[in-house]
Structure formats: structure tokens, C-alpha cells
Amino acid sequence: MTLKEVKFTLNNLETIAFELPNGDLVPSHFHVTEVGKINKLFIDCGGTIRNEEVVNFQLWNANDYDHRLHPEKLVNIIELSERKLNINENLSIEVEYQGETIGKFGLDFNGKNFILTIKQTDCLAKDQCGIPKTEPK
């Protein structure tokens, strides 16, 4: 999802819920502790320089059971971050969430909940580093 899509979705919700890939829900008393812009400048194994930019949400559980983040509050946080950090609303969202370690997830929406989607590593230069193409069976 892009930041623009998240804001549009939030404007049509009464409550926010995030669902983990295993179907469990992030506890309802979560906080979004960070909204940021991450710029990753790197070189792949084929020697190509790449630049990726995403918007990062960090979800955190506190022992604060009396407060729940409402959609309009998260929209306000997002809009503040867009102004202060010069964030483009067409950037994709990456979500950090604490499990056994900090996990990085993509983001989708199923009509009710935001879904934390599994991210995979991949070789970006398969044609240059000898990875054979798999033939369809």
C-alpha cells in the first residue's frame, strides 16, 4: 500500500486493527511510535547501484491499555510527517513490529484490517551472478 491509500482507508474507518501474517491481531492498545522516510542506497551483487525509498511505520505495544489510536489521530500523525519530513504520499509503506526480533512487513488491507504481509529477500541481479532461471513445470 502507498501512504495515500493508507490515509484514504483510515478516513473510512472507525477503528484501526493490524493483522499479523499468522492471523493474530496486534493488540488493540498498540502505538505508532514512528512514521519515517527510509532511504536505502545500496549496490546489488551485479554491481548496480540502487536507491529505494519507503515510508516506515513502527508499531509498539505498551502497558497502556487505556488508550487506543483512532484513525483520525493516525491521519494527523501521517500528515505532520509528510510536511516535516517531505514525504511523498505515493511511497510504499513498510511496517516494523516487535516479535522475537523486529520484523519488517509490507502492508495491505482486507476491507476490515490492515494486513502485515511477509517480505522476502531476493537477488536483484540473477542474470549477472549465475542464478539459473527456473522453467515452469
Side-chain angles (χ1 to χ4, degrees):
M1 290 185 86
T2 65
L3 189 59
K4 182 178 185 175
E5 292 169 327
V6 169
K7 288 190 311 182
F8 177 81
T9 301
L10 287 168
N11 284 322
N12 294 298
L13 293 177
E14 292 183 26
T15 60
I16 308 170
F18 285 91
E19 186 176 320
L20 296 164
N22 68 4
D24 290 346
L25 292 177
V26 170
S28 61
H29 57 278
F30 74 91
H31 293 261
V32 175
T33 59
E34 294 179 10
V35 175
K37 178 170 61 171
I38 296 178
N39 189 0
K40 181 179 175 183
L41 179 63
F42 63 101
I43 190 165
D44 68 25
C45 59
T48 302
I49 296 174
R50 298 178 184 267
N51 188 8
E52 293 180 357
E53 196 170 61
V54 297
V55 174
N56 184 68
F57 287 1
Q58 185 180 80
L59 305 183
W60 180 65
N61 294 330
N63 293 327
D64 177 9
Y65 300 99
D66 297 326
H67 295 92
R68 185 175 172 130
L69 184 62
H70 295 282
E72 63 276 3
K73 173 76 173 182
L74 183 51
V75 169
N76 288 339
I77 294 168
I78 291 168
E79 289 174 346
L80 177 63
S81 69
E82 286 176 308
R83 288 190 310 273
K84 298 291 186 178
L85 302 175
N86 195 28
I87 293 177
N88 180 328
E89 68 178 4
N90 294 314
L91 291 175
S92 294
I93 303 291
E94 179 178 86
V95 178
E96 292 180 349
Y97 181 68
Q98 183 73 46
E100 291 180 25
T101 187
I102 297 172
K104 285 184 171 184
F105 300 90
L107 190 64
D108 204 351
F109 187 72
N110 69 3
K112 180 180 178 185
N113 299 328
F114 287 101
I115 307 297
L116 300 184
T117 60
I118 295 172
K119 295 182 77 163
Q120 301 280 325
T121 60
D122 194 9
C123 176
L124 300 176
K126 291 181 183 88
D127 58 331
Q128 295 186 31
C129 65
I131 304 294
K133 291 184 179 180
T134 55
E135 297 294 325
K137 294 181 181 181

